Amino acid sequence: MTTTNALDDAPLSAFHKRLAFSASGGPFLDGYVLSIIGVAMVHLSTEWGLTTAEQGVVGISSMLGIFVGGILGGRISDLFGRRIPYTVTVGSIAALSLLQFFVDEFVLLLVLRVLIGVAIGADYPIATSLLTEFSPNKHRGPILGYFVVMWFVGAAAAYVCGQLLTQLGENSWRWMLVSAAAPAVLFLLARAGTPESPRWLTSNGRIDRANDALRKAFGPDVTVEDIPDERATNVDLRALLRSGYGGRLLFVTAYWTASIVPLFAVYAFAPAILDDLGFGNSMEQIGSAVITVTFMVGCIVAASLVNKIGRRPLMIHSFLWSAIALVILGLFPNSSTVTVMALFLAYAIFIGGTQIMQQVYPNELFPTEIRSSANGLATSLSRIGAAIGTYLVPVSLTSLGVGTTMLLGAAITAFGAVIAVLWAPETRGLSLSESSGLSAPEQSHSEPVPVCGRGEQG
């Protein structure tokens, strides 16, 4: 049964919109940093004479940093609060991006790329926890969904910026890498003055500061009395795997990995896949650009549906129809250009549901005390799958062909659908204290992640 209070039932205000924009800096910069290196690598590899292996290491270096950063950022945020790390992460990205302009050694560039990844990875659990803990119930799902959209906006911006900066000639790759500092500074300024999470302050007994934060965000009539008590679910991260939250962490990590492995593979190697499918060079670039935009559209559509049809149905249908699109691609790789592009676009649209749930479920299924840590751990673990998928796709394309590669992606996506059918809870309309609370010990195979009021639709 859902509860009502002034915090959860607050209208979407200018404060929420500013917070949503500033919090989206993390995924925007993630998409930008991971994409701009691909454009810069064309010039960088020629100037430095990098081998294929060295190019691959540079390309994946920030992803390795994200793995470390997700764990560190989540833990720091739960121990010391959200507000200060919230500004430190984007400030670090700005500074490290500027330093890239002066690098003349492969190892130094690699170190900077890893550190940028650490800052990006740390920002994910910090920003989403802060955004979740300020968001009203009925707006939480769409806000977190649009948060994911910003990854593709960042990627698209990187491609446009990269093409423009190519005109600068020999050192254009330096300007490409340093260009990430500009949006990082913009988001740093947008984050200035953001109050601390009142839920985190309350959970740590800092009632006066929590009331100050609430007044700043919602006005004088909202106090800590409007925050439902989560202390019944208190558990530290060390006990997470031994508690009922261990099942939830397994669920989040499993579906996140099943969603992200095929997507990163398709997205990163769309040009190679389209080439193997018979597209010409000009059509490869156009096709890749269209697929990128369509991924973004898919996330926007999913964000608009997450409250209307619910979390669980959205995830199940997203996995199911995405898998079907990949199966058809795998079985008929020699179809017409129009058919192949239609199937790629169908996959990009349908997978949007699982993409936005990568931020919705982790923030709704864990209590304030460990929300950021659990989110960061899930972020990090999912990047292992992303890295594996990114590395294995060119091998698979060469040894197995595009048809079999697409079928393997379909199998992983179908596995995600099975996970969703068996484990995905419905949290639509629930307060954070309800969705994150453990109603009972895990008792059955089909209910490893019990959620208080699962059937409540709100």
Side-chain angles (χ1 to χ4, degrees):
M1 183 176 180
T2 59
T3 60
T4 59
N5 56 72
L7 182 62
D8 283 332
D9 297 332
L12 196 65
S13 65
F15 168 80
H16 291 115
K17 295 175 183 178
R18 287 196 303 271
L19 180 60
F21 170 76
S22 65
S24 68
F28 179 95
L29 290 168
D30 186 6
Y32 193 98
V33 166
L34 288 178
S35 300
I36 198 69
I37 190 64
V39 183
M41 191 63 69
V42 176
H43 307 275
L44 172 61
S45 60
T46 300
E47 182 177 330
W48 284 11
L50 298 180
T51 65
T52 302
E54 288 173 331
Q55 292 179 47
V57 171
V58 173
I60 203 171
S61 56
S62 59
M63 196 177 297
L64 297 175
I66 290 173
F67 171 79
V68 176
I71 297 174
L72 291 178
R75 190 60 178 148
I76 290 171
S77 177
D78 281 338
L79 288 175
F80 303 108
R82 307 353 180 169
R83 185 178 65 85
I84 294 177
Y86 186 60
T87 56
V88 170
T89 50
V90 290
S92 299
I93 294 170
L96 292 166
S97 296
L98 286 172
L99 289 175
Q100 290 179 109
F101 186 85
F102 305 100
V103 297
D104 286 312
E105 296 181 4
F106 171 77
V107 174
L108 182 56
L109 176 61
L110 193 63
V111 170
L112 289 175
R113 298 295 296 177
V114 170
L115 291 176
I116 290 172
V118 171
I120 291 173
D123 192 71
Y124 268 104
I126 295 167
T128 57
S129 294
L130 186 63
L131 183 59
T132 298
E133 290 160 10
F134 270 114
S135 297
N137 276 359
K138 65 180 180 179
H139 299 292
R140 188 172 61 238
I143 284 176
L144 290 171
Y146 285 113
F147 181 91
V148 179
V149 172
M150 290 298 287
W151 193 98
F152 296 100
V153 175
Y159 287 131
V160 172
C161 185
Q163 291 301 319
L164 293 175
L165 292 175
T166 299
Q167 309 305 317
L168 296 179
E170 183 178 348
N171 286 320
S172 60
W173 66 267
R174 296 182 184 274
W175 291 106
M176 291 177 196
L177 297 185
V178 80
S179 66
V185 169
L186 173 63
F187 286 112
L188 177 62
L189 294 175
R191 293 183 178 194
T194 301
E196 181 59 88
S197 163
R199 293 179 185 269
W200 183 87
L201 290 168
T202 302
S203 71
N204 285 271
R206 304 178 188 181
I207 305 303
D208 289 341
R209 286 191 59 194
N211 281 325
D212 289 341
L214 287 168
R215 281 192 289 269
K216 183 174 182 178
F218 301 103
D221 297 328
V222 181
T223 69
V224 294
E225 298 299 324
D226 294 297
I227 301 177
D229 185 18
E230 293 182 82
R231 289 191 175 275
T233 61
N234 188 22
V235 58
D236 63 36
L237 186 61
R238 290 173 297 178
L240 189 149
L241 295 178
R242 301 192 302 271
S243 70
Y245 293 105
R248 296 188 178 194
L249 183 62
L250 174 61
F251 162 65
V252 169
T253 302
Y255 85 72
W256 199 332
T257 301
S259 170
I260 206 171
V261 170
L263 181 136
F264 263 67
V266 169
Y267 184 78
F269 293 96
I273 292 171
L274 291 174
D275 179 60
D276 279 8
L277 289 170
F279 285 64
N281 288 333
S282 61
M283 285 299 295
E284 284 179 32
Q285 298 303 317
I286 295 173
S288 297
V290 171
I291 290 172
T292 299
V293 173
T294 308
F295 273 123
M296 181 175 66
V297 172
C299 290
I300 293 174
V301 171
S304 69
L305 293 176
V306 66
N307 272 358
K308 295 178 181 178
I309 67 174
R311 277 67 159 155
R312 176 178 166 83
L314 179 64
M315 174 174 278
I316 292 173
H317 282 283
S318 178
F319 271 125
L320 178 61
W321 293 107
S322 299
I324 291 173
L326 291 180
V327 166
I328 299 174
L329 269 173
L331 293 177
F332 305 101
N334 298 317
S335 300
S336 67
T337 299
V338 173
T339 301
V340 170
M341 277 304 299
L343 290 169
F344 264 116
L345 297 182
Y347 170 79
I349 289 287
F350 290 133
I351 202 64
T354 72
Q355 295 305 294
I356 72 162
M357 293 308 297
Q358 292 169 13
Q359 298 303 328
V360 176
Y361 269 148
N363 285 290
E364 291 185 336
L365 294 180
F366 299 95
T368 299
E369 292 85 353
I370 59 169
R371 178 172 293 117
S372 194
S373 296
N375 199 335
L377 186 56
T379 299
S380 297
L381 293 175
S382 71
R383 294 295 168 146
I384 297 176
I388 292 173
T390 301
Y391 263 122
L392 289 183
V393 164
V395 176
S396 178
L397 286 173
T398 301
S399 60
L400 301 177
V402 68
T404 302
T405 301
M406 292 297 96
L407 289 176
L408 290 174
I412 296 172
T413 307
F415 175 68
V418 173
I419 293 171
V421 170
L422 293 178
W423 291 356
E426 182 54 74
T427 56
R428 178 179 58 163
L430 301 181
S431 68
L432 285 178
S433 59
E434 292 171 324
S435 65
S436 66
L438 292 175
S439 58
E442 303 182 63
Q443 295 176 340
S444 70
H445 175 71
S446 61
E447 291 285 348
V449 284
V451 174
C452 177
R454 171 171 177 165
E456 183 69 50
Q457 298 297 303

